[in-house]
Amino acid sequence: MWFIPSSPGRRISLELTGIKKPFTEVIKANIGDAHAMGQRPITFLRQVVALCTYPNLLDSPSFPEDAKKRARRILQGCGGNSLGSYTASQGINCIREDVASYIERRDGGVPADPDNIYLTTGASDGISAILKILISGDGKSRTGVMIPIPQYPLYSAAISELDAIQVNYYLDEENCWALNVNELRRALNEAKAYCNPKVLCIINPGNPTGQVQSRKCIEDVIHFAWEEKLFLLADEVYQDNVYSEGCQFHSFKKILYEMGPEYYNNVELASFHSTSKGYMGECGYRGGYMEVINLHPEIKGQLVKLLSVRLCPPVSGQAAMDIVVNPPVPGEESYAQFIKEKESVLNNLAKKAKLTEDMFNKIPGVHCNPLQGAMYAFPRIFIPSKAIEEAKAHKMAPDMFYCMKLLEETGICVVPGSGFGQREGTYHFRMTILPPVEKLKILLEKVKDFHIKFLEKYA
Amino acid sequence: MWFIPSSPGRRISLELTGIKKPFTEVIKANIGDAHAMGQRPITFLRQVVALCTYPNLLDSPSFPEDAKKRARRILQGCGGNSLGSYTASQGINCIREDVASYIERRDGGVPADPDNIYLTTGASDGISAILKILISGDGKSRTGVMIPIPQYPLYSAAISELDAIQVNYYLDEENCWALNVNELRRALNEAKAYCNPKVLCIINPGNPTGQVQSRKCIEDVIHFAWEEKLFLLADEVYQDNVYSEGCQFHSFKKILYEMGPEYYNNVELASFHSTSKGYMGECGYRGGYMEVINLHPEIKGQLVKLLSVRLCPPVSGQAAMDIVVNPPVPGEESYAQFIKEKESVLNNLAKKAKLTEDMFNKIPGVHCNPLQGAMYAFPRIFIPSKAIEEAKAHKMAPDMFYCMKLLEETGICVVPGSGFGQREGTYHFRMTILPPVEKLKILLEKVKDFHIKFLEKYA
């Protein structure tokens, strides 16, 4: 099931003007939409995009020289020096070069080739495109795509649309949502009986589960993919969102390289990044990139052909992506402000991650794993059997019933765990930690009060 | 076959740095990319988008008040007043309202409902989405989609990708590429034997053929669609590009309405517009909209679900679309400059349309219909049988062979007619009229010299 996270909140927002509700404001904690929750854009990114949009501003003394330098470089990569020209389907050359340099810096010098970089319309466009070219066959030979449960529902939607088989592997909730290779193996072996599993999707840091994979875990997964000849699809859009002490983001690309030539010459990998998350939160620009490794030349040809149908990714999104991978560096005029803004966002998110975990774990009947990364809590909630019966009478999943009640009574909009998948008989919801700290505290208090009353009502 | 128009030119561009060629510059007359050919952006549009991008500029005295007013309105429609937020999948409400008002003005008061407007990632995104939800079935019941020949290859690519059946109807070259309903009927009746024709695609003004449909012709097509219960898909992205005297753009929506309730209550129609063409030429923003009429509520639900997978169209593209439908009006500060810029582009295009037609018709063995609208010439070229043989020896379509020779010898990049479809045994190419007048004259002279030499060589 593809869940449209914004709909119920929107409906209630509209209703608020008329019918009386026990709250004055809908808080949309259902979608990772940072700016909508009040986060300010990164000044430097917007300056560069504004300069590209209206190049007269290149003469304005109110824009810093380092922003102008980047804008000029981007415009030189555009036909007629205009953001209004089509670019190559793969994206602007100099931006792909900047992406490759970024990956090399991020991965401690592991080489990245601009030819392997494709700029995309957000990460989801790249993920859909790659899945489309990897999926084929029918009957028992239908392509199986392994995805984590819980997952981000783009995956299940794309798999179902492409008529492939969704192969679930379960993350280990008792163990901070860790990925266990034994579970991968179980899922794969069972799936082989009814489909042809070819792709293994990983979301790291996890959405909705927020775990950050250890180096050891990534090595195990890569070894498994190598052994089983699975195409690895690494969704790494939360790579800047790591909060817990002792946790660190490792890219699949880097670990693959460090495991030696037997791995990096053979394992096929596509990894994804985006302007939408991290500290910039620029969802509306629909900027993103993917890096592909060891893609068969024929498949690469198909990919280019497929991407050419949509002509090119939005060029202002490409420009925004450039600033994410090529931000101000020490010595540049805008560096101090950039770092201040970036760290302010990330430090705040880290604070809110801890706050949310602590607050949830104080509520009876709620358990929340540490939010090691990303921007969501995915607490497990106890739903009394009386409430489950009432949900059934309404033909609703129990956690959907819970979330609708929460929305109606508090104005807080979260997404039921059933939209992401969860182990049978367990219930969760996903809530973003994006509201400002003070608002988040109020929100968590309201959830607490609601939950206690809910337990009492259906005791 | 999906033709990637930009590739051969790009390859030769790169080669130019090394190998010696009989020309100094590649002229890319192969793709409708106005800014890449030197057309300047419309100042007002870019001012508004820059203001939305970097709202600090709202305090700058160097931006006009009417631009600021529009920027404020767009930002009020955005979550957190930021272009960086996701919007509803259907697009920002106030922009959909502006689109509806624009359509009402354009169509002399025929009502338009913002609920029927969907903002899209360029027109192609909307066309692909609509085709996707209309196409179903297998075997003899596979969906047939009627498209003009010659056509814009997005259609053939989408149809083939969706595993539907392409049903060709031929435009009448002897009659200025007019659409004849008898030909529609022939194509439909033949197609019924092997598929289930459900969709009729129209491109007006035509791409690559440049014809502008008469009111009578549109009425005939609508009557035909009503009679045969075909879903009408009207690609009207060149609605501002009409040049020939006596020609006028009529929207399918308007004529449908004027034909009375039997028609406008029954015929299903989707029509498309874009920021990429017209006088603004903002291809890189990937802005567009579609209006749907009489779409079944269930199908509408599927459409919204499909669109929600890609989250939302790029928000700066939505903002650009807003300015296309809501430009400065008389009395506003920016009106004079806006009209001057708009008319300069359109008058130039009209001049170039006439110039191109005249020049082509002076070349022996070339015939070119009047360029009534859009931004392309699609001349018919005589290819001698010796050249056809040589092309066959190279396993190339004869017009591809011709276009490759043209590129190698002159640096002029055009697209062979076989990329769009043409009657068996006829040959064409598509060339944009976007280069500046002086450059276009040189280009046409070069084509003439090349063609005469080509005829001599293969006589």
Side-chain angles (χ1 to χ4, degrees):
Chain A
M1 179 195 74
W2 169 252
F3 191 83
I4 307 163
S6 65
S7 303
R10 196 173 302 271
R11 202 162 54 235
I12 292 242
S13 278
L14 294 173
E15 279 176 8
L16 267 185
T17 46
I19 305 149
K20 217 171 155 70
K21 292 271 168 196
F23 51 88
T24 53
E25 184 196 8
V26 172
I27 303 177
K28 292 181 62 189
N30 58 326
I31 180 164
D33 193 359
H35 293 195
M37 287 289 99
Q39 186 182 309
R40 309 298 311 150
I42 297 292
T43 303
F44 187 77
L45 186 151
R46 291 300 188 92
Q47 284 175 330
V48 175
V49 179
L51 288 161
C52 292
T53 303
Y54 193 56
N56 287 17
L57 294 170
L58 287 165
D59 299 326
S60 160
S62 34
F63 283 76
E65 201 43 52
D66 44 5
K68 290 181 183 174
K69 195 176 102 188
R70 281 170 182 74
R72 282 195 202 97
R73 181 157 184 273
I74 293 168
L75 288 175
Q76 272 161 21
C78 294
N81 298 325
S82 169
L83 283 197
S85 298
Y86 291 120
T87 71
S89 299
Q90 198 172 348
I92 296 174
N93 278 347
C94 69
I95 299 182
R96 292 191 291 112
E97 285 163 14
D98 288 346
V99 170
S101 306
Y102 161 80
I103 293 173
E104 290 186 357
R105 286 195 311 277
R106 181 196 69 188
D107 292 346
V110 171
D113 182 347
D115 273 354
N116 290 337
I117 309 296
Y118 296 75
L119 301 182
T120 55
T121 308
S124 36
D125 169 50
I127 293 168
S128 305
I130 281 285
L131 285 176
K132 199 172 224 169
I133 57 163
L134 293 178
I135 284 170
S136 60
D138 50 20
K140 212 188 129 181
S141 81
R142 272 161 83 196
T143 302
V145 179
M146 303 183 71
I147 61 171
I149 296 294
Q151 54 116 18
Y152 178 61
L154 164 66
Y155 291 97
S156 47
I159 291 166
S160 130
E161 194 189 311
L162 295 166
D163 208 22
I165 301 281
Q166 173 177 329
V167 177
N168 296 337
Y169 66 87
Y170 288 84
L171 300 174
D172 184 1
E173 183 166 15
E174 319 306 315
N175 195 9
C176 274
W177 297 113
L179 195 170
N180 185 312
V181 170
N182 293 332
E183 167 61 10
L184 283 182
R185 200 174 306 279
R186 176 209 59 79
L188 181 76
N189 287 340
E190 287 180 18
K192 280 177 177 169
Y194 56 87
C195 70
N196 175 19
K198 287 207 301 200
V199 187
L200 169 55
C201 301
I202 309 286
I203 312 174
N204 178 47
N207 175 8
T209 39
Q211 82 285 14
V212 175
Q213 288 185 318
S214 70
R215 191 194 169 91
K216 169 75 172 60
C217 170
I218 295 175
E219 284 173 356
D220 290 349
V221 171
I222 291 175
H223 180 77
F224 177 77
W226 169 81
E227 215 172 35
E228 300 286 352
K229 296 195 174 19
L230 295 169
F231 190 105
L232 265 177
L233 206 150
D235 179 341
E236 300 177 330
V237 300
Y238 296 98
Q239 56 191 266
D240 285 315
N241 300 99
V242 175
Y243 315 116
S244 289
E245 241 173 90
C247 284
Q248 195 191 335
F249 170 73
H250 304 279
S251 78
F252 269 73
K253 163 82 181 301
K254 177 174 191 250
I255 308 293
L256 177 65
Y257 201 86
E258 291 174 353
M259 285 170 75
E262 178 56 27
Y263 293 94
Y264 74 70
N265 288 333
N266 290 300
V267 175
E268 294 169 298
L269 168 70
S271 56
F272 304 88
H273 196 13
S274 154
T275 59
S276 304
K277 310 300 168 189
Y279 54 90
M280 48 287 176
E282 295 282 8
C283 312
Y285 277 94
R286 313 307 304 120
Y289 76 76
M290 61 181 166
E291 183 186 23
V292 297
I293 309 287
N294 291 322
L295 201 62
H296 189 283
E298 203 175 288
I299 302 280
K300 217 165 173 169
Q302 284 174 33
L303 178 63
V304 170
K305 196 172 151 191
L306 179 72
L307 294 179
S308 76
V309 175
R310 56 111 162 96
L311 298 160
C312 69
V315 186
S316 36
Q318 297 187 43
M321 193 74 239
D322 191 51
I323 301 316
V324 173
V325 296
N326 186 20
V329 293
E332 283 188 310
E333 193 179 344
S334 304
Y335 181 70
Q337 190 187 353
F338 168 75
I339 284 295
K340 197 177 143 211
E341 291 177 359
K342 173 178 171 176
E343 292 192 343
S344 157
V345 172
L346 291 177
N347 291 340
N348 252 306
L349 282 169
K351 239 183 265 170
K352 292 189 281 187
K354 192 76 186 78
L355 173 77
T356 305
E357 178 197 341
D358 291 349
M359 294 275 281
F360 273 136
N361 284 326
K362 279 183 195 142
I363 308 177
V366 174
H367 174 74
C368 185
N369 272 325
L371 281 66
Q372 298 173 333
M375 39 182 69
Y376 313 98
F378 195 67
R380 181 162 170 181
I381 46 175
F382 171 71
I383 299 186
S385 50
K386 266 197 185 163
I388 294 175
E389 277 162 34
E390 194 169 322
K392 274 186 190 151
H394 287 81
K395 295 193 169 141
M396 277 170 127
D399 48 7
M400 172 62 106
F401 176 77
Y402 180 95
C403 292
M404 287 308 294
K405 287 275 174 211
L406 178 68
L407 178 60
E408 283 164 15
E409 290 177 24
T410 65
I412 299 166
C413 185
V414 300
V415 187
S418 45
F420 304 93
Q422 54 200 351
R423 280 207 184 267
E424 181 84 29
T426 70
Y427 304 108
H428 303 78
F429 62 80
R430 188 188 81 166
M431 189 191 90
T432 71
I433 56 168
L434 291 169
V437 176
E438 286 317 307
K439 206 167 187 175
L440 184 64
K441 278 186 188 161
I442 296 170
L443 184 154
L444 289 164
E445 284 296 339
K446 281 187 174 182
V447 174
K448 181 180 168 186
D449 294 347
F450 165 82
H451 188 81
I452 291 170
K453 273 199 278 179
F454 186 89
L455 291 190
E456 280 167 8
K457 184 173 173 188
Y458 295 102
Chain B
M1 178 193 76
W2 170 252
F3 192 83
I4 306 161
S6 64
S7 305
R10 195 174 303 271
R11 201 163 53 235
I12 292 241
S13 277
L14 294 174
E15 279 176 10
L16 267 184
T17 45
I19 305 149
K20 215 171 158 70
K21 291 272 168 195
F23 52 88
T24 51
E25 184 196 7
V26 173
I27 303 177
K28 293 181 60 191
N30 58 326
I31 180 165
D33 193 0
H35 294 194
M37 288 288 98
Q39 187 183 308
R40 308 297 314 148
I42 297 291
T43 304
F44 187 78
L45 186 151
R46 291 301 188 92
Q47 284 175 330
V48 176
V49 180
L51 287 161
C52 292
T53 304
Y54 192 57
N56 286 18
L57 294 170
L58 288 165
D59 299 326
S60 159
S62 35
F63 283 76
E65 201 44 52
D66 45 4
K68 289 180 183 173
K69 196 177 100 188
R70 281 169 181 74
R72 281 194 202 97
R73 182 158 184 272
I74 294 168
L75 289 175
Q76 271 160 23
C78 294
N81 299 323
S82 169
L83 284 197
S85 298
Y86 292 119
T87 71
S89 299
Q90 197 171 348
I92 296 174
N93 279 346
C94 68
I95 299 181
R96 292 191 292 111
E97 285 163 12
D98 288 345
V99 169
S101 306
Y102 161 80
I103 293 173
E104 291 186 355
R105 286 194 312 276
R106 181 195 70 188
D107 292 346
V110 171
D113 181 349
D115 274 354
N116 290 335
I117 309 295
Y118 296 74
L119 301 182
T120 55
T121 309
S124 37
D125 169 49
I127 295 168
S128 306
I130 281 285
L131 285 176
K132 199 172 224 169
I133 56 165
L134 294 177
I135 285 170
S136 58
D138 50 21
K140 214 189 125 181
S141 81
R142 269 160 85 196
T143 302
V145 180
M146 302 183 71
I147 61 170
I149 295 294
Q151 55 114 18
Y152 177 62
L154 164 66
Y155 292 95
S156 47
I159 291 166
S160 129
E161 193 189 312
L162 295 165
D163 208 22
I165 301 281
Q166 174 177 329
V167 177
N168 296 338
Y169 65 89
Y170 288 84
L171 300 176
D172 184 1
E173 183 166 16
E174 318 307 315
N175 196 9
C176 273
W177 297 113
L179 194 170
N180 185 313
V181 169
N182 292 332
E183 167 62 9
L184 283 182
R185 201 173 307 278
R186 176 207 62 77
L188 181 75
N189 288 340
E190 286 180 19
K192 280 176 176 171
Y194 56 88
C195 69
N196 175 20
K198 287 207 299 200
V199 187
L200 170 54
C201 302
I202 310 285
I203 313 175
N204 178 46
N207 175 7
T209 40
Q211 83 286 10
V212 176
Q213 288 185 318
S214 69
R215 192 193 169 91
K216 170 75 173 63
C217 169
I218 295 175
E219 283 173 0
D220 291 349
V221 171
I222 291 174
H223 180 76
F224 177 77
W226 169 82
E227 217 171 34
E228 299 287 353
K229 297 194 173 23
L230 295 170
F231 190 104
L232 265 175
L233 205 150
D235 178 341
E236 301 178 328
V237 299
Y238 296 99
Q239 57 189 265
D240 284 315
N241 300 99
V242 175
Y243 316 116
S244 289
E245 241 174 88
C247 283
Q248 197 191 332
F249 171 74
H250 304 279
S251 78
F252 268 73
K253 163 83 181 302
K254 178 177 190 248
I255 308 293
L256 177 65
Y257 201 86
E258 291 174 353
M259 286 170 74
E262 178 57 26
Y263 293 93
Y264 74 69
N265 287 334
N266 290 298
V267 175
E268 294 169 298
L269 169 69
S271 56
F272 304 88
H273 196 12
S274 153
T275 59
S276 305
K277 311 300 169 186
Y279 54 90
M280 47 287 177
E282 295 282 11
C283 312
Y285 277 94
R286 314 308 303 119
Y289 75 76
M290 63 181 164
E291 183 186 21
V292 297
I293 309 288
N294 292 322
L295 201 64
H296 189 284
E298 203 176 287
I299 302 281
K300 216 164 171 170
Q302 284 174 32
L303 179 64
V304 170
K305 196 174 152 189
L306 179 69
L307 295 178
S308 76
V309 175
R310 56 111 162 96
L311 297 160
C312 69
V315 185
S316 36
Q318 297 187 44
M321 192 73 239
D322 191 51
I323 300 316
V324 174
V325 297
N326 186 21
V329 293
E332 282 188 311
E333 193 178 346
S334 303
Y335 180 70
Q337 189 187 354
F338 169 74
I339 284 295
K340 199 178 140 208
E341 290 178 358
K342 173 179 172 176
E343 293 192 342
S344 158
V345 172
L346 292 177
N347 291 340
N348 253 308
L349 282 169
K351 239 182 268 171
K352 292 189 281 187
K354 193 76 187 78
L355 173 77
T356 305
E357 178 196 344
D358 291 347
M359 295 274 282
F360 273 136
N361 285 326
K362 280 185 195 142
I363 309 177
V366 173
H367 172 74
C368 185
N369 272 326
L371 281 66
Q372 300 174 332
M375 39 183 68
Y376 313 98
F378 196 66
R380 180 161 170 183
I381 46 174
F382 171 72
I383 299 186
S385 51
K386 266 197 184 163
I388 295 176
E389 277 161 34
E390 194 168 320
K392 274 184 191 153
H394 287 82
K395 296 196 169 141
M396 275 172 132
D399 51 4
M400 174 60 112
F401 175 76
Y402 179 96
C403 292
M404 286 308 294
K405 288 277 175 207
L406 178 68
L407 178 60
E408 283 164 16
E409 291 178 24
T410 66
I412 299 166
C413 185
V414 299
V415 187
S418 46
F420 304 94
Q422 53 200 353
R423 280 206 184 270
E424 180 84 30
T426 70
Y427 305 108
H428 303 77
F429 62 80
R430 189 188 79 166
M431 189 191 90
T432 71
I433 56 168
L434 291 169
V437 176
E438 288 316 308
K439 205 167 187 174
L440 184 64
K441 278 186 191 162
I442 296 170
L443 183 154
L444 289 164
E445 284 295 341
K446 281 187 175 182
V447 173
K448 182 180 165 186
D449 294 347
F450 166 81
H451 188 79
I452 291 171
K453 273 198 279 178
F454 187 87
L455 291 190
E456 280 167 8
K457 184 172 175 187
Y458 295 101

